[in-house]
Amino acid sequence: MHTVVRAGQRDISVPVGLLMGGRFVAGSSGETFSVFDASTGQPFVEVASATEEDARTALEHAVAAQEEWAASTPMERSEILYRAFELVKQHTEELALLQSLELGRALPDSTGEVGYGAEYFRWFSQQAMAIRGDYRVPPAGVGRIITHHRPVGPVLAITPWNFPLAMIARKVAPAIAAGCTIIVKPAQMTPLTALYLGELLQEAGVPEGVVQILPTKSAKNISVLLDDDRLRKLTFTGSTEVGQMLASKAMEKSMRTSLELGGNAPFVVLEHADVDKAVTEALAAKMRGAGQVCVAGNRFLVHESLAEEFTRGVVAKMGEYVMGPGTREGVTMGPLVSAEERDKVAALVDGAVKEGATVELGGPEALAALGEEHPELDPQGYWYPATVLSGVMPEFEIANTEIFGPVLAIQTFSDEDEALRIANDTPFGLAAYVCGEKLARTMSFAEKMQAGMVAVNRGALSDATAPFGGVKQSGIGREGGFEGLGEYLDTVYIALES
Ligand code: SIN
């Protein structure tokens, strides 16, 4: 169940079956689906598509393996995770090329993502050995309270296309550390990275049945597992709408649920910010993966006294991006993942312009002229040029929608209270950013931002060793950090008679 794909200058042998019970198999119907090269819009490989029957078989494997896996030693699980870390690092080039091919993302970003994903394996290899219990004397001094932890049991992980490796690593690594078995449904658009990782996990020594990976062209084929109460946890990263729908299903069986949903991150540049620094960090917050990131800066709120200089700075830097196929040397911005995503971004920008925004760079005209300006780009690819808009107002659709593209939309404010009100005026609360040189004032602003993650004077906050997650409608639970492991463990209290 392998095929060879050409990615950049490399031929890479990739599994194209379903990973179940420690083997790659064709699946019960023998059906497949196509994976597309985002830079040409052409299919380049067929991957097995899991059916409902396959999902049930995968759950049988996960359930069968659960008891023995839960009884494995922390050291065994830690060593497997550390080997997984080493293997992912050793295969960085293959994993990055595969992502750049199926997702379109520029190679430097993909390489960064592989490093980021690998760190989850390293971190949780350490956390596996740090699971603690507790021994307490109750206030009345009678008896003892003992707590210990048990793996929650089989997990279903549904992961997005924008981080095809790291989002799986962030769920699989703590599941392994805790002693849970897991079934992963990778995104339909990016199954190759997931399957390649699955093979590395087998090589790292993950026992049969502990990790299953089920690509499918129909997500419903997998989500039926939420009806089975032998499944004990749902972890989902993706859109708010789908996440909330799946979570309500999981709730019917009182499953543990972690959700990482959409965001609408404000990036606030206070009056006392260093503009050069703010420009650099704004680009870091916006342009990773061509803006297709849940924590990407979505609303750039700039003090009116700095707006002109900030706009000039971001236009200059955004103009330096080199667009092209993600696997090509020298490219710094690939196409978007699909025609649908590209059209969504284009519609948001068109709408903003109609509502009164000014195009400072890129935008509708640049998109229309793309064929002439960039004859080297395949016209069937899902291109959208780096775009800067100024004069955006809080009520514009673009300011209330996750853009998921290389569009930096600037609003202005005149005082910090107004900035805070605009920043928090959203049902979402995943990430938020603030730049300012007066530390106490900037920190006080940061503390009032309604988000699960707040970055001060920096545009990058993702870190396997830190708790990732949102407040309000951006999610439930945390991934990574010390907190990430707890999501896969139940606490058991033993009441001891004295
Ligand atoms: C996401 O976009 O969902 C994840 C971003 C990250 O982990 O940095």
Side-chain angles (χ1 to χ4, degrees):
M1 291 278 8
H2 281 67
T3 197
V4 172
V5 300
R6 182 89 186 149
Q9 305 304 310
R10 291 276 309 265
D11 286 327
I12 304 175
S13 172
V14 201
V16 287
L18 315 175
L19 175 59
M20 294 203 282
R23 289 186 316 124
F24 287 96
V25 296
S28 56
S29 68
E31 277 188 289
T32 61
F33 64 90
S34 306
V35 184
F36 290 80
D37 176 344
S39 68
T40 62
Q42 299 306 312
F44 66 93
V45 74
E46 290 290 311
V47 168
S49 180
T51 60
E52 211 175 298
E53 187 184 332
D54 296 321
R56 296 200 191 285
T57 307
L59 183 60
E60 293 302 332
H61 285 296
V63 169
Q66 180 59 63
E67 197 178 321
E68 198 178 329
W69 183 234
S72 62
T73 67
M75 194 179 287
E76 258 174 78
R77 301 196 297 273
S78 170
E79 282 169 359
I80 289 171
L81 285 165
Y82 197 77
R83 274 199 298 277
F85 161 70
E86 290 178 316
L87 283 165
V88 170
K89 291 296 270 187
Q90 277 161 26
H91 291 267
T92 296
E93 192 181 338
E94 293 90 332
L95 285 161
L97 281 166
L98 286 173
Q99 290 187 24
S100 286
L101 188 60
E102 59 185 354
L103 168 58
R105 186 168 57 191
L107 208 45
D109 274 346
S110 297
T111 306
E113 199 256 12
V114 176
Y116 173 41
E119 289 304 328
Y120 283 99
F121 291 108
R122 174 153 59 180
W123 174 250
F124 284 110
S125 77
Q126 294 162 5
Q127 296 311 304
M129 293 200 291
I131 300 171
R132 292 175 298 123
D134 198 7
Y135 181 91
R136 303 177 206 169
V137 180
V142 181
R144 293 294 178 262
I145 295 167
I146 299 174
T147 65
H148 73 112
H149 297 286
R150 267 202 304 244
V152 299
V155 176
L156 173 62
I158 301 183
T159 59
W161 48 263
N162 63 339
F163 285 83
L165 181 114
M167 295 306 97
I168 296 179
R170 172 147 112 184
K171 297 173 190 312
V172 166
I176 291 177
C180 297
T181 59
I182 185 163
I183 299 162
V184 180
K185 188 206 88 61
Q188 186 180 340
M189 287 186 280
T190 54
L192 297 182
T193 311
L195 292 169
Y196 197 93
L197 173 66
E199 186 153 64
L200 296 181
L201 291 174
Q202 300 306 297
E203 200 181 325
V206 170
E208 204 178 292
V210 170
V211 176
Q212 346 297 315
I213 300 186
L214 302 186
T216 181
K217 59 184 169 194
S218 169
K220 283 203 186 93
N221 287 346
I222 313 297
S223 58
V224 291
L225 294 181
L226 296 172
D227 289 331
D228 191 321
D229 60 12
R230 292 174 302 164
L231 187 74
R232 292 315 311 146
K233 177 176 168 72
L234 165 70
T235 170
F236 171 88
T237 298
S239 76
T240 302
E241 192 191 353
V242 175
Q244 289 176 343
M245 193 258 294
L246 293 172
S248 63
K249 194 90 200 112
M251 261 312 119
E252 288 172 22
K253 305 282 181 203
S254 304
M255 273 176 209
R256 291 282 292 274
T257 302
S258 313
L259 302 173
E260 193 245 290
L261 308 176
N264 183 7
F267 186 106
V268 179
V269 183
L270 297 173
E271 190 177 5
H272 42 88
D274 172 330
V275 179
D276 286 345
K277 211 189 305 174
V279 165
T280 303
E281 298 309 319
L283 270 281
K286 178 80 252 178
M287 290 300 284
R288 193 161 59 126
Q292 301 172 106
V293 178
C294 296
V295 292
N298 210 55
R299 297 171 292 148
F300 289 78
L301 310 178
V302 185
H303 189 271
E304 57 192 9
S305 65
L306 306 178
E308 210 181 304
E309 195 185 345
F310 177 84
T311 305
R312 237 188 353 262
V314 290
V315 165
K317 283 218 173 352
M318 295 272 281
E320 287 169 6
Y321 277 83
V322 178
M323 212 170 10
T327 52
R328 189 172 294 164
E329 203 63 30
V331 163
T332 50
M333 189 177 89
L336 299 188
V337 70
S338 67
E340 195 187 344
E341 290 295 321
R342 189 263 324 274
D343 295 347
K344 205 189 81 192
V345 172
L348 277 173
V349 174
D350 291 352
V353 173
K354 280 200 194 94
E355 286 176 292
T358 303
V359 177
E360 304 281 352
L361 178 77
E365 283 179 21
L367 181 63
L370 212 58
E372 250 169 64
E373 302 275 322
H374 292 281
E376 75 285 5
L377 300 180
D378 188 315
Q380 304 301 316
Y382 313 130
W383 311 106
Y384 197 84
T387 294
V388 178
L389 299 176
S390 63
V392 172
M393 301 300 286
E395 63 276 14
F396 287 8
E397 191 187 355
I398 201 163
N400 294 286
T401 311
E402 195 172 34
I403 302 171
F404 246 60
V407 179
L408 196 151
I410 302 171
Q411 307 179 35
T412 56
F413 63 88
S414 52
D415 66 63
E416 284 180 20
D417 288 346
E418 183 194 3
L420 191 64
R421 188 179 43 71
I422 299 173
N424 288 340
D425 188 17
T426 164
F428 300 102
L430 190 59
Y433 304 82
V434 59
C435 296
E437 291 300 297
K438 293 187 177 165
L439 186 61
R441 269 176 68 183
T442 309
M443 279 306 293
S444 149
F445 192 96
E447 284 172 6
K448 291 183 210 132
M449 295 182 99
Q450 295 170 357
M453 298 169 281
V454 181
V456 178
N457 287 325
R458 56 190 278 189
L461 47 67
S462 304
D463 182 337
T465 69
F468 190 105
V471 299
K472 301 203 274 189
Q473 293 199 37
S474 287
I476 302 171
R478 292 293 178 269
E479 296 190 296
F482 295 111
E483 295 80 353
L485 188 58
E487 305 275 341
Y488 294 80
L489 292 168
D490 282 330
T491 300
V492 179
Y493 152 49
I494 297 175
L496 189 68
E497 179 59 313
S498 50

